[in-house]
Amino acid sequence: GKGAVLPPQDLSVLIPLAGGRCPGALLLFDINNYHGTLGRLNNVLERAKIACFLAEESNRSLLLTGEYDGVDVSELIDFDALRGGVRCAWAGRETNMEMAALADRLAPQLVADSESMRRAPPDTHVRVTHTTLVDWYRPLGQDFDARFFGSLRLAGQGTRAQVEDYVGEVLGGSDAYAAVHLRHMEGECEERARKYSQHFEEDDGYFIRMCWLEYDYVRTLVPTGKLFVLSDRQDAKVEATYEGRSDVYRYDEHVACGDEVHCSLIDMEVAVLSKEFVGNPMSTFSKNIAMMRWYRRGKPSILFDVTE
């Protein structure tokens, strides 16, 4: 189905609108409900992904509302592109009615966990919190991933036009550059890598090496072409290995991208379009880039040490 931005008027219009085209029962989720904080852009994307999965699995129309750093969620995720992932999704910012009032009116009882979600009658509206989504945080299946990431388009036409101009005019086209994501994870990357390796029963070295993606090491993985860098800028030592190099590009150093949200959207899309991508397997940002590259473009990514 085709997504629609919610009208600012009385949101009861959703009920007749859903009839005949989408499931009549709603699954309501406000992205702002995250223990009082939003987290980074990718946290919002992760929650939206699981909300889409829950809506599809429970045969409900998804109502995803809220703002991220003052930006309407409908500007972050292009629901028109999610034709296969969710049959019907609305996203938007309420002006005359708060989300809490809408939820209290349509679905007064909060769904606290996946078990209560399963018990909810199929024809009732339900609302979920971040806690509910965490309870569902597990592999969602290759079929869902293929439909969600294969059709996912971040942001609107204006942002995508910025990306296309930058890739074509500055980087020389998708085949002319590789992308690397530097993620230090507030100094916890090595600890997370050890836990990650235990989960996959692999040697620590496969993953720990990706915590320190210095320029020389990355060039052993992608030896030629321009190098586009996305970074949390938390590790000064790693950052220093990229400084002053004519083959290294960062979007915000060449073009003013405005606020942090749009900079992140642009960085992500430029990485998706790159010929090769090197990322950190502990980072959901890296993994979601890899998923979009594979399901949208059939392009693999490097998320562990392949030099040995």
Side-chain angles (χ1 to χ4, degrees), residues 137 185 188-208 210-211 279-284 286-287 290 303-304:
Y137 198 83
M185 312 189 82
E188 298 180 356
C189 188
E190 182 174 352
E191 179 183 351
R192 295 189 187 192
R194 295 193 189 284
K195 293 179 180 178
Y196 196 76
S197 61
Q198 292 172 2
H199 177 73
F200 286 98
E201 299 183 352
E202 294 285 359
D203 183 86
D204 290 344
Y206 281 111
F207 306 113
I208 289 178
M210 309 310 281
C211 294
N280 185 329
M282 278 65 68
S283 165
T284 52
S286 280
K287 287 188 284 189
L303 295 178
F304 56 92

Short mmCIF file of all heavy atoms in Angstrom, two decimals, residues 137 185 188-208 210-211 279-284 286-287 290 303-304:
data_model
loop_
_atom_site.label_atom_id
_atom_site.label_comp_id
_atom_site.label_asym_id
_atom_site.label_seq_id
_atom_site.Cartn_x
_atom_site.Cartn_y
_atom_site.Cartn_z
N TYR A 137 13.67 -7.87 19.79
CA TYR A 137 14.92 -7.62 19.08
C TYR A 137 15.63 -8.95 18.82
O TYR A 137 16.33 -9.50 19.65
CB TYR A 137 15.83 -6.70 19.89
CG TYR A 137 16.92 -6.09 19.04
CD1 TYR A 137 16.67 -4.96 18.29
CD2 TYR A 137 18.17 -6.67 18.97
CE1 TYR A 137 17.66 -4.40 17.50
CE2 TYR A 137 19.16 -6.13 18.19
CZ TYR A 137 18.91 -5.00 17.46
OH TYR A 137 19.87 -4.45 16.66
N MET A 185 32.29 3.73 19.54
CA MET A 185 31.26 3.29 20.48
C MET A 185 31.55 3.70 21.92
O MET A 185 31.50 2.88 22.84
CB MET A 185 31.05 1.78 20.38
CG MET A 185 30.89 1.29 18.96
SD MET A 185 30.38 -0.41 18.79
CE MET A 185 28.62 -0.25 19.02
N GLU A 188 33.74 1.51 24.03
CA GLU A 188 33.32 0.15 24.39
C GLU A 188 33.43 -0.84 23.25
O GLU A 188 32.96 -1.97 23.37
CB GLU A 188 31.88 0.18 24.90
CG GLU A 188 31.67 1.01 26.16
CD GLU A 188 30.23 1.02 26.62
OE1 GLU A 188 29.38 0.44 25.91
OE2 GLU A 188 29.94 1.58 27.69
N CYS A 189 34.04 -0.45 22.15
CA CYS A 189 34.02 -1.30 20.97
C CYS A 189 34.70 -2.65 21.21
O CYS A 189 34.17 -3.69 20.85
CB CYS A 189 34.69 -0.58 19.80
SG CYS A 189 34.51 -1.45 18.23
N GLU A 190 35.88 -2.64 21.84
CA GLU A 190 36.60 -3.90 22.04
C GLU A 190 35.81 -4.85 22.93
O GLU A 190 35.70 -6.06 22.64
CB GLU A 190 37.97 -3.64 22.65
CG GLU A 190 38.78 -4.92 22.84
CD GLU A 190 40.20 -4.66 23.32
OE1 GLU A 190 40.62 -3.48 23.35
OE2 GLU A 190 40.88 -5.64 23.65
N GLU A 191 35.23 -4.33 24.01
CA GLU A 191 34.43 -5.18 24.90
C GLU A 191 33.24 -5.78 24.15
O GLU A 191 32.92 -6.97 24.31
CB GLU A 191 33.94 -4.35 26.09
CG GLU A 191 33.09 -5.13 27.07
CD GLU A 191 32.56 -4.27 28.20
OE1 GLU A 191 33.00 -3.11 28.33
OE2 GLU A 191 31.70 -4.76 28.96
N ARG A 192 32.57 -4.95 23.35
CA ARG A 192 31.42 -5.45 22.58
C ARG A 192 31.87 -6.48 21.55
O ARG A 192 31.15 -7.45 21.27
CB ARG A 192 30.71 -4.30 21.90
CG ARG A 192 30.06 -3.33 22.86
CD ARG A 192 29.19 -2.34 22.13
NE ARG A 192 28.69 -1.29 23.00
CZ ARG A 192 27.74 -0.44 22.67
NH1 ARG A 192 27.17 -0.53 21.47
NH2 ARG A 192 27.36 0.50 23.51
N ALA A 193 33.06 -6.29 20.97
CA ALA A 193 33.56 -7.22 19.97
C ALA A 193 33.79 -8.60 20.57
O ALA A 193 33.53 -9.62 19.93
CB ALA A 193 34.84 -6.69 19.35
N ARG A 194 34.28 -8.65 21.80
CA ARG A 194 34.51 -9.95 22.45
C ARG A 194 33.19 -10.68 22.68
O ARG A 194 33.08 -11.88 22.47
CB ARG A 194 35.26 -9.75 23.76
CG ARG A 194 36.68 -9.20 23.57
CD ARG A 194 37.51 -9.30 24.83
NE ARG A 194 38.76 -8.60 24.68
CZ ARG A 194 39.81 -9.04 23.99
NH1 ARG A 194 39.75 -10.21 23.37
NH2 ARG A 194 40.92 -8.32 23.92
N LYS A 195 32.17 -9.94 23.09
CA LYS A 195 30.85 -10.55 23.28
C LYS A 195 30.27 -10.98 21.94
O LYS A 195 29.65 -12.04 21.83
CB LYS A 195 29.91 -9.56 23.97
CG LYS A 195 30.31 -9.23 25.40
CD LYS A 195 29.35 -8.21 26.00
CE LYS A 195 29.74 -7.87 27.43
NZ LYS A 195 28.85 -6.84 28.03
N TYR A 196 30.48 -10.17 20.93
CA TYR A 196 29.97 -10.46 19.60
C TYR A 196 30.60 -11.74 19.05
O TYR A 196 29.92 -12.59 18.47
CB TYR A 196 30.29 -9.27 18.69
CG TYR A 196 29.52 -9.23 17.38
CD1 TYR A 196 28.19 -8.83 17.35
CD2 TYR A 196 30.14 -9.55 16.18
CE1 TYR A 196 27.49 -8.76 16.16
CE2 TYR A 196 29.45 -9.48 14.97
CZ TYR A 196 28.13 -9.08 14.97
OH TYR A 196 27.44 -9.01 13.79
N SER A 197 31.91 -11.90 19.26
CA SER A 197 32.60 -13.08 18.74
C SER A 197 32.13 -14.36 19.45
O SER A 197 32.02 -15.42 18.84
CB SER A 197 34.12 -12.93 18.92
OG SER A 197 34.47 -12.79 20.28
N GLN A 198 31.79 -14.25 20.74
CA GLN A 198 31.26 -15.41 21.46
C GLN A 198 29.91 -15.83 20.88
O GLN A 198 29.62 -17.02 20.76
CB GLN A 198 31.10 -15.07 22.94
CG GLN A 198 32.43 -14.86 23.66
CD GLN A 198 32.25 -14.35 25.08
OE1 GLN A 198 31.13 -14.17 25.56
NE2 GLN A 198 33.36 -14.09 25.75
N HIS A 199 29.11 -14.83 20.48
CA HIS A 199 27.79 -15.12 19.91
C HIS A 199 27.92 -15.93 18.62
O HIS A 199 27.13 -16.83 18.34
CB HIS A 199 27.05 -13.81 19.64
CG HIS A 199 25.72 -13.98 18.99
ND1 HIS A 199 24.61 -14.48 19.66
CD2 HIS A 199 25.30 -13.74 17.72
CE1 HIS A 199 23.59 -14.53 18.85
NE2 HIS A 199 23.96 -14.09 17.67
N PHE A 200 28.96 -15.62 17.83
CA PHE A 200 29.15 -16.30 16.55
C PHE A 200 30.19 -17.41 16.61
O PHE A 200 30.54 -18.00 15.59
CB PHE A 200 29.54 -15.29 15.47
CG PHE A 200 28.40 -14.43 15.01
CD1 PHE A 200 28.23 -13.15 15.53
CD2 PHE A 200 27.49 -14.89 14.09
CE1 PHE A 200 27.18 -12.36 15.12
CE2 PHE A 200 26.43 -14.11 13.67
CZ PHE A 200 26.28 -12.83 14.18
N GLU A 201 30.71 -17.67 17.84
CA GLU A 201 31.72 -18.70 18.04
C GLU A 201 32.92 -18.50 17.11
O GLU A 201 33.43 -19.44 16.52
CB GLU A 201 31.11 -20.09 17.85
CG GLU A 201 29.99 -20.40 18.83
CD GLU A 201 29.44 -21.80 18.67
OE1 GLU A 201 29.82 -22.48 17.68
OE2 GLU A 201 28.64 -22.23 19.51
N GLU A 202 33.33 -17.23 17.01
CA GLU A 202 34.47 -16.89 16.17
C GLU A 202 35.60 -16.35 17.04
O GLU A 202 35.40 -15.94 18.18
CB GLU A 202 34.08 -15.82 15.14
CG GLU A 202 33.06 -16.28 14.11
CD GLU A 202 33.67 -17.19 13.05
OE1 GLU A 202 34.89 -17.44 13.12
OE2 GLU A 202 32.93 -17.67 12.18
N ASP A 203 36.81 -16.33 16.50
CA ASP A 203 37.94 -15.72 17.18
C ASP A 203 37.73 -14.22 17.34
O ASP A 203 37.21 -13.56 16.44
CB ASP A 203 39.21 -15.98 16.37
CG ASP A 203 40.45 -15.45 17.06
OD1 ASP A 203 41.02 -16.17 17.89
OD2 ASP A 203 40.81 -14.30 16.78
N ASP A 204 38.15 -13.67 18.48
CA ASP A 204 37.97 -12.23 18.74
C ASP A 204 38.54 -11.37 17.62
O ASP A 204 37.97 -10.32 17.29
CB ASP A 204 38.68 -11.82 20.04
CG ASP A 204 37.98 -12.39 21.28
OD1 ASP A 204 36.84 -12.83 21.15
OD2 ASP A 204 38.61 -12.39 22.35
N GLY A 205 39.65 -11.80 17.06
CA GLY A 205 40.36 -10.96 16.10
C GLY A 205 39.57 -10.60 14.86
O GLY A 205 39.81 -9.57 14.24
N TYR A 206 38.61 -11.45 14.48
CA TYR A 206 37.80 -11.16 13.30
C TYR A 206 37.06 -9.82 13.44
O TYR A 206 36.84 -9.11 12.48
CB TYR A 206 36.76 -12.26 13.07
CG TYR A 206 37.30 -13.50 12.42
CD1 TYR A 206 37.40 -14.69 13.13
CD2 TYR A 206 37.70 -13.50 11.08
CE1 TYR A 206 37.88 -15.85 12.54
CE2 TYR A 206 38.19 -14.64 10.47
CZ TYR A 206 38.28 -15.81 11.21
OH TYR A 206 38.76 -16.95 10.62
N PHE A 207 36.67 -9.51 14.70
CA PHE A 207 35.83 -8.36 14.93
C PHE A 207 36.56 -7.20 15.61
O PHE A 207 36.30 -6.05 15.31
CB PHE A 207 34.61 -8.76 15.76
CG PHE A 207 33.85 -9.92 15.18
CD1 PHE A 207 33.80 -11.14 15.81
CD2 PHE A 207 33.18 -9.78 13.96
CE1 PHE A 207 33.11 -12.20 15.26
CE2 PHE A 207 32.50 -10.85 13.40
CZ PHE A 207 32.45 -12.05 14.05
N ILE A 208 37.46 -7.51 16.56
CA ILE A 208 38.15 -6.46 17.30
C ILE A 208 38.93 -5.56 16.36
O ILE A 208 39.00 -4.34 16.55
CB ILE A 208 39.07 -7.06 18.38
CG1 ILE A 208 38.22 -7.65 19.50
CG2 ILE A 208 40.03 -6.01 18.93
CD1 ILE A 208 39.01 -8.32 20.59
N MET A 210 38.16 -4.44 13.65
CA MET A 210 37.31 -3.45 13.00
C MET A 210 37.00 -2.26 13.91
O MET A 210 36.37 -1.29 13.48
CB MET A 210 36.00 -4.11 12.55
CG MET A 210 36.19 -5.39 11.74
SD MET A 210 37.36 -5.23 10.36
CE MET A 210 36.33 -4.41 9.15
N CYS A 211 37.44 -2.31 15.18
CA CYS A 211 37.27 -1.17 16.07
C CYS A 211 38.26 -0.06 15.75
O CYS A 211 38.04 1.09 16.12
CB CYS A 211 37.46 -1.60 17.53
SG CYS A 211 36.19 -2.73 18.15
N GLY A 279 32.89 -1.63 7.35
CA GLY A 279 32.19 -1.14 8.52
C GLY A 279 32.54 -1.91 9.78
O GLY A 279 33.37 -2.82 9.77
N ASN A 280 31.89 -1.53 10.86
CA ASN A 280 32.11 -2.12 12.17
C ASN A 280 30.93 -3.04 12.50
O ASN A 280 29.79 -2.56 12.59
CB ASN A 280 32.22 -0.99 13.21
CG ASN A 280 32.56 -1.49 14.59
OD1 ASN A 280 32.19 -2.59 14.98
ND2 ASN A 280 33.26 -0.67 15.36
N PRO A 281 31.15 -4.34 12.67
CA PRO A 281 30.03 -5.27 12.86
C PRO A 281 29.29 -5.07 14.18
O PRO A 281 28.18 -5.56 14.34
CB PRO A 281 30.70 -6.64 12.82
CG PRO A 281 32.10 -6.38 13.26
CD PRO A 281 32.45 -5.03 12.70
N MET A 282 29.88 -4.33 15.14
CA MET A 282 29.19 -4.04 16.39
C MET A 282 28.20 -2.89 16.24
O MET A 282 27.41 -2.62 17.13
CB MET A 282 30.19 -3.71 17.51
CG MET A 282 30.81 -4.94 18.16
SD MET A 282 31.83 -5.91 17.04
CE MET A 282 33.21 -4.77 16.78
N SER A 283 28.28 -2.18 15.14
CA SER A 283 27.44 -1.00 14.92
C SER A 283 26.22 -1.34 14.08
O SER A 283 26.35 -1.85 12.96
CB SER A 283 28.27 0.09 14.21
OG SER A 283 27.45 1.09 13.69
N THR A 284 25.02 -1.02 14.58
CA THR A 284 23.83 -1.25 13.78
C THR A 284 23.81 -0.32 12.57
O THR A 284 23.21 -0.65 11.55
CB THR A 284 22.56 -1.02 14.62
OG1 THR A 284 22.62 0.27 15.24
CG2 THR A 284 22.40 -2.08 15.68
N SER A 286 26.46 0.46 10.69
CA SER A 286 27.21 -0.28 9.67
C SER A 286 26.40 -1.44 9.12
O SER A 286 26.35 -1.67 7.91
CB SER A 286 28.53 -0.82 10.26
OG SER A 286 29.53 0.16 10.32
N LYS A 287 25.75 -2.18 10.01
CA LYS A 287 25.02 -3.37 9.56
C LYS A 287 23.81 -3.00 8.70
O LYS A 287 23.52 -3.69 7.72
CB LYS A 287 24.60 -4.21 10.77
CG LYS A 287 25.76 -4.94 11.43
CD LYS A 287 25.31 -5.90 12.50
CE LYS A 287 24.93 -5.19 13.77
NZ LYS A 287 24.69 -6.13 14.89
N ALA A 290 25.07 -2.20 5.33
CA ALA A 290 25.38 -3.45 4.63
C ALA A 290 24.12 -4.14 4.12
O ALA A 290 24.09 -4.69 3.01
CB ALA A 290 26.16 -4.38 5.55
N LEU A 303 32.73 -6.54 6.97
CA LEU A 303 32.42 -6.24 8.37
C LEU A 303 33.26 -7.05 9.33
O LEU A 303 32.96 -7.09 10.52
CB LEU A 303 30.94 -6.49 8.64
CG LEU A 303 29.95 -5.59 7.89
CD1 LEU A 303 28.52 -5.99 8.22
CD2 LEU A 303 30.17 -4.12 8.23
N PHE A 304 34.31 -7.69 8.86
CA PHE A 304 35.24 -8.38 9.75
C PHE A 304 36.60 -8.46 9.08
O PHE A 304 36.74 -8.18 7.89
CB PHE A 304 34.73 -9.78 10.13
CG PHE A 304 34.45 -10.67 8.95
CD1 PHE A 304 35.43 -11.51 8.47
CD2 PHE A 304 33.20 -10.69 8.37
CE1 PHE A 304 35.18 -12.33 7.36
CE2 PHE A 304 32.93 -11.51 7.28
CZ PHE A 304 33.93 -12.33 6.78
#
